[in-house]
Amino acid sequence: MTDNKSGVLVVVEVEDSQPIDLGLEMLALARRLTGIMGGTVTAVAFGTGLETTGETLTAYGADQVLLNDNEIFTNFHAEAWLPDLSKIITEVEPALVLIGHSESGTDLAPRLAFRLDVDVATGCESIDIVNGRPHMTRSCFGGLAREVITFTKTPALATIRSKSQQALVPDMKRSAEIKHVSSILDVNAIRTRVVNRDREKAVGVQMESAKVVIGGGLGLGGPEGFKTLNEIAELVDGAVGASRAACDLDWCPRSYQIGLSGRTVAPELYIAVGISGASHHMAGCGNSKTIVSVNSDPKAEIFKSSRFGIVGNSQEIMPALAEEIRKLKA
Amino acid sequence: MKIVVCVKQIQNPEIPAAQFRIDEEAKVLIPVSGLSPVLSPFDEQAVEAALRIRDRAEEGADIEITIVTIAPKGARAAIKAALALGADNAVLLNEPTFDGGGGYVTARNLAETIRAIGDVDLILTGRQAADGDAGVVGLGIAEILDIPAITFARNVQTADGVVTVQRVLQDGIETVEADLPALVTISNELGKVRNASMRETMRAAKKPVKEWTPEDIGLDETQVGSSATRYELERLYIPVNEIECEFISGDTPAEIAATLAQHMREENLI
Ligand SMILES: Cc1cc2nc3c(=O)[nH]c(=O)nc-3n(C[C@H](O)[C@H](O)[C@H](O)COP(=O)(O)OP(=O)(O)OC[C@H]3O[C@@H](n4cnc5c(N)ncnc54)[C@H](O)[C@@H]3O)c2cc1C
Ligand SMILES: Cc1cc2nc3c(=O)[nH]c(=O)nc-3n(C[C@H](O)[C@H](O)[C@H](O)COP(=O)(O)OP(=O)(O)OC[C@H]3O[C@@H](n4cnc5c(N)ncnc54)[C@H](O)[C@@H]3O)c2cc1C
C-alpha cells in the first residue's frame, strides 16, 4: 500500500457503561493483526458513564483510547454516531476498522463505509494479513461457503462475528493514552426519529455468555416443547435459543433466533432439539465446542456437525433429560 | 407516490447442502442444474411491503411500484416474479458491463438508476441478499442519495410524507420515522408474501420492462460492474467441518437421557 494509514481502529460498543464482550474480542484480533502489520490499536467507545472504560480497554489491548462520553450516545442511533466516527477515523488514519457484527454494528458499518467512500466486509470470521493487506474471511451463501476478500481502498472496514475471536486475558499493567473527544454532532441533522422503543427485559442467563445453550426447532412439535427446554436450561444455568422456523410460528420469542439473521452463540455445549441443521441456522451456532442433537430422522443434516447424536422423539427425550439432570443434581 | 423495490435474482437459498457446488478455481458458484433462480426472499418481502402500502392506501391514490434489478443477460425470473405479485413496471440493468460489481458498485449503480427514474419517494430493499449475505447495498444507496435509511423493518407505513417503520431489534421492536424520500430495508419478520394471482401473472407479461445501459443512468463503462469494483475475491470455498457423530442409544428415553446427562456431568456442565 502506498498510503500512510496504519494500525487498527476498533469500535467498541458499551452497554450499561461496560464494553460488550464482542468489543474485547475484537481488541484481541486487533493486537494480533498489528503484531503482523505494525501500527497501534485504537479503541473508540461512544456512550455515557465511561469513567472506567478507558482502563478496561487498555487492559484488553488498546494502545490508545478515544472516549466520546455524551448523553446523546446513551442509546445507539446510527445517524448520531456517523459524523463523530467518520471524523475520528479520518484523523486516526487506520489501515483497518473493526466493528461488531451486532444489531447496531450491522446498521452502522455499511453507512460508515459509504460515508468514508471505502468498502466493508460484513460478518467476518477471521482476518489474516497477506503482504501487508487484510484478507477477510466471511460466510456467504447462507453459511454454505466462505469467501476471502480484500479491498483496494483503505481503510478496509470489517464487521466481526461474535465469539469468532477470543479476548485476551486483561493485563492491568498495560498503559495507554486515554483521550476524551468532544462531539461535533449537529442533532438537527438527524433525519430518523425513534418514537418508541420496546425491549423485552432479558431474564436469566444471556445466550452469548451461557456455557450451555439449548436450541429448539420445529421438531419440538409446538410451544410446549420450549417449556421443557427452559426447565433444563434453568437446571444447568444455560439459555434457550431457537430456529427461525420456530420463531416464525411464535412458539418462542423472536429474540431466541440463532443463525444468519439471528444471534451467534458459541457455548461449551449446544443441544439442538428438533432442528434440521440448515446452514442458515448453523451460521449462528457452528462454533460451539460440542454439539449434541436430538432428531427423529437419523439422516438429519444436523448430525453431520454433531459430536453426539440422539435419534428419537424430542417429546420423550427432553423430559427424560430434565429428570436425569435433576437426579444428578440431587 | 413512487416506490422503487430493488430485487436480486439468486439461486434458491434453501437447497440442501449436498447439492451446493463451487468452482474453487474460477471462484464462482456452479448453478444446480434444473433449478430455477428465485427472487431473494427478503427482496420478495420488500415487494410485499410495497404492495401492502398500496393495499392500505385510499381508493384512487396513485401508487406506482417499480422493480429495479441488476442481473445477468437473460435473467428475467426475479422481475417476472415481482411483476406477477403486483408491481407495475421494472427497470432491468442487464448489459454484461454491469456484471461483477461488489457492494459499492451495486449500490452506486442502483442509486443512479433511482435518480434517473426520478421523484422516487420510497426505496425498499432486502435486509441482505440471500447469496452474498452482505447487507450493504441498501444502506449504500441511501448514503449515496443522501436520504434517511431505516433497517430491519417488519412493518412499513406511509402517511403525509412520512414513513413509519417498526424495526426489529434483537430483543424487541422500535418504531422509527423519517420524512420521505427515504429507504427502508426489509427483514423476514414482515411475514408471509401473497401468492401471485392468476390475473396478475397473466398481466405481468405485458407490464413495461425497460432495459437500461450505463449511459441511461449517466455512467460510463468504467463506473459499472467489475471494471469499477474495489473488491478482490481471493478465495471461495466450501468449509469442511463434518465430524464423526457418536450416536447415543438405549432401550428407553430415560436410559438415553441418563447417558447424555452423565456426559454433561463429566464435562462439568452440570
Ligand atoms: C436468507 C435466509 C436466512 C435464514 N436465517 C435463519 C436463521 O437466522 N436461523 C435459522 O434457524 N434459520 C434461518 N433460515 C431458515 C433455515 O433455512 C431453515 O428453514 C430453518 O432453520 C429450519 O428450522 P427447523 O430446523 O426448526 O425446521 P425443519 O427444517 O423443518 O426441521 C425440523 C427437524 O425436526 C425433526 N423432527 C421432527 N419431529 C421430531 C420429533 N418429534 N423429535 C425430534 N425431531 C423431530 C425433523 O426430522 C427435522 O430435522 C434462513 C433462511 C433463509 C433463506
Ligand atoms: C461468490 C461470490 C463472488 C463475488 N465476486 C465478486 C468480485 O469478484 N468482485 C466484486 O466486486 N464483487 C463480488 N461479489 C459480490 C459481493 O460480495 C456482494 O455480492 C456485494 O457486496 C453485494 O452484496 P450482496 O449481494 O450480499 O447484497 P446485499 O448488500 O446483501 O443486498 C442488500 C439488498 O440490496 C439489493 N440488491 C443487492 N444486489 C442487487 C442487485 N444486483 N440488483 C438489485 N438489487 C440488489 C436487494 O434488495 C438486497 O436485498 C461476489 C459475491 C460472491 C457471493
Side-chain angles (χ1 to χ4, degrees):
Chain A
M1 288 279 99
T2 50
D3 59 42
N4 47 15
K5 298 191 183 76
S6 76
V8 180
L9 183 142
V10 183
V11 180
V12 179
E13 265 173 71
V14 172
E15 236 172 63
D16 301 327
S17 303
Q18 292 302 317
I20 65 166
D21 288 350
L22 177 52
L24 307 178
E25 291 159 21
M26 291 192 292
L27 283 174
L29 174 62
R31 278 252 66 85
R32 183 169 68 76
L33 298 179
T34 50
I36 304 166
M37 64 174 180
T40 56
V41 175
T42 304
V44 178
F46 285 34
T48 39
L50 304 181
E51 288 80 16
T52 60
T53 310
E55 281 70 30
T56 310
L57 298 179
T58 307
Y60 279 94
D63 299 312
Q64 184 191 192
V65 180
L66 301 176
L67 300 172
N68 201 349
D69 199 325
N70 195 316
E71 283 291 318
I72 316 168
F73 302 126
T74 313
N75 288 312
F76 173 76
H77 191 154
E79 281 197 289
W81 258 243
L82 284 170
D84 284 332
L85 200 49
S86 311
K87 176 165 177 272
I88 290 170
I89 292 169
T90 309
E91 285 169 4
V92 173
E93 295 199 299
L96 175 66
V97 177
L98 305 180
I99 298 173
H101 192 72
S102 61
E103 175 183 293
S104 23
T106 49
D107 188 51
L108 174 70
R111 302 176 197 253
L112 184 62
F114 279 87
R115 207 157 281 198
L116 295 168
D117 194 21
V118 296
D119 304 84
V120 58
T122 54
C124 295
E125 294 175 344
S126 67
I127 300 183
D128 293 298
I129 303 298
V130 180
N131 299 329
R133 276 171 68 175
H135 281 221
M136 297 162 283
T137 302
R138 63 180 295 277
S139 162
C140 54
F141 294 108
L144 289 174
R146 298 290 179 278
E147 56 175 349
V148 181
I149 60 179
T150 54
F151 296 133
T152 50
K153 269 194 94 178
T154 55
L157 262 58
T159 67
I160 306 296
R161 280 207 163 255
S162 164
K163 302 295 168 198
S164 61
Q165 318 292 320
Q166 208 165 13
L168 297 171
V169 177
D171 176 358
M172 295 304 169
K173 291 195 290 288
R174 292 193 76 244
S175 64
E177 188 188 0
I178 299 172
K179 278 198 288 202
H180 284 264
V181 297
S182 47
S183 178
I184 56 159
L185 176 67
D186 168 12
V187 287
N188 297 316
I190 298 181
R191 300 163 296 185
T192 50
R193 307 175 285 275
V194 178
V195 290
N196 182 37
R197 186 177 276 143
D198 201 0
R199 288 190 187 267
E200 294 158 17
K201 260 261 157 292
V203 283
V205 185
Q206 283 296 296
M207 223 188 269
E208 285 78 5
S209 50
K211 282 201 167 144
V212 180
V213 177
I214 313 172
L218 291 191
L220 281 180
E224 310 75 40
F226 277 96
K227 283 208 192 101
T228 317
L229 301 195
N230 275 312
E231 215 177 293
I232 299 174
E234 217 165 285
L235 286 167
V236 300
D237 283 328
V240 176
S243 72
R244 188 175 92 180
C247 296
D248 283 349
L249 290 174
D250 283 330
W251 289 2
C252 60
R254 200 212 82 86
S255 60
Y256 279 26
Q257 185 181 323
I258 291 174
L260 183 70
S261 39
R263 297 162 79 158
T264 306
V265 298
E268 299 277 312
L269 175 65
Y270 181 67
I271 309 180
V273 189
I275 290 179
S276 59
S279 64
H280 306 105
H281 183 77
M282 301 317 290
C285 62
N287 280 336
S288 306
K289 196 162 158 241
T290 302
I291 298 178
V292 176
S293 36
V294 180
N295 198 298
S296 54
D297 175 6
K299 292 206 180 65
E301 190 72 22
I302 186 92
F303 289 127
K304 291 189 182 155
S305 352
S306 305
R307 176 70 188 84
F308 296 105
I310 293 172
V311 178
N313 182 347
S314 65
Q315 289 166 11
E316 292 170 10
I317 303 287
M318 299 320 284
L321 181 62
E323 190 50 40
E324 294 302 325
I325 294 174
R326 245 183 247 114
K327 276 194 217 158
L328 281 183
K329 287 191 69 160
Chain B
M1 183 165 73
K2 269 187 174 177
I3 304 178
V4 162
V5 188
C6 299
V7 305
K8 186 177 184 185
Q9 169 166 321
I10 63 168
Q11 168 164 294
N12 189 327
E14 284 178 293
I15 57 160
Q19 286 184 28
F20 182 81
R21 295 270 182 285
I22 288 270
D23 179 343
E24 289 199 20
E25 202 59 43
K27 298 185 272 200
V28 291
L29 174 77
I30 303 174
V32 177
S33 61
L35 189 73
S36 10
V38 299
L39 193 53
S40 183
F42 302 116
D43 303 358
E44 191 180 24
Q45 288 173 304
V47 176
E48 173 66 26
L51 295 171
R52 288 184 195 171
I53 290 173
R54 191 167 64 190
D55 292 347
R56 272 193 302 260
E58 286 161 33
E59 189 77 37
D62 184 17
I63 295 181
E64 180 184 354
I65 302 173
T66 300
I67 303 299
V68 175
T69 188
I70 302 179
K73 206 88 195 164
R76 285 278 178 137
I79 282 201
K80 251 199 211 152
L83 292 177
L85 284 172
D88 297 303
N89 51 51
V91 175
L92 175 58
L93 308 176
N94 65 356
E95 292 277 308
T97 42
F98 282 113
D99 288 351
Y104 160 76
V105 180
T106 304
R108 186 162 176 211
N109 294 174
L110 290 171
E112 295 309 333
T113 305
I114 290 162
R115 260 193 202 127
I117 291 170
D119 300 320
V120 174
D121 301 288
L122 179 65
I123 304 162
L124 301 176
T125 74
R127 59 174 286 167
Q128 64 199 57
D131 56 351
D133 299 332
V136 306
V137 170
L139 289 171
I141 294 170
E143 279 295 322
I144 294 167
L145 296 177
D146 195 17
I147 59 173
I150 304 172
T151 50
F152 311 137
R154 69 158 200 188
N155 183 303
V156 187
Q157 311 220 23
T158 55
D160 307 323
V162 172
V163 62
T164 305
V165 173
Q166 279 184 4
R167 251 191 109 224
V168 178
L169 304 173
Q170 189 166 289
D171 52 359
I173 296 291
E174 73 182 7
T175 307
V176 183
E177 49 175 52
D179 295 344
L180 296 175
L183 182 141
V184 178
T185 82
I186 305 297
S187 194
N188 61 286
E189 288 79 3
L190 187 102
K192 253 191 134 31
V193 174
R194 68 197 59 198
N195 290 319
S197 69
M198 184 74 99
R199 180 171 155 267
E200 284 297 330
T201 308
M202 309 261 288
R203 286 183 55 201
K206 294 191 210 87
K207 290 179 179 173
V209 177
K210 289 184 195 143
E211 295 186 31
W212 281 0
T213 63
E215 227 168 69
D216 291 321
I217 59 170
L219 297 176
D220 66 45
E221 309 222 321
T222 64
Q223 294 169 308
V224 300
S226 55
S227 48
T229 194
R230 307 189 299 203
Y231 165 116
E232 277 164 40
L233 184 62
E234 307 286 344
R235 202 182 152 208
L236 181 69
Y237 64 99
I238 298 177
V240 271
N241 48 7
E242 274 190 34
I243 56 170
E244 197 61 47
C245 181
E246 195 177 309
F247 284 95
I248 302 174
S249 51
D251 290 333
T252 61
E255 202 182 311
I256 296 171
T259 312
L260 175 55
Q262 204 55 51
H263 276 303
M264 289 170 72
R265 156 141 287 175
E266 280 157 21
E267 298 291 325
N268 275 325
L269 296 169
I270 297 179

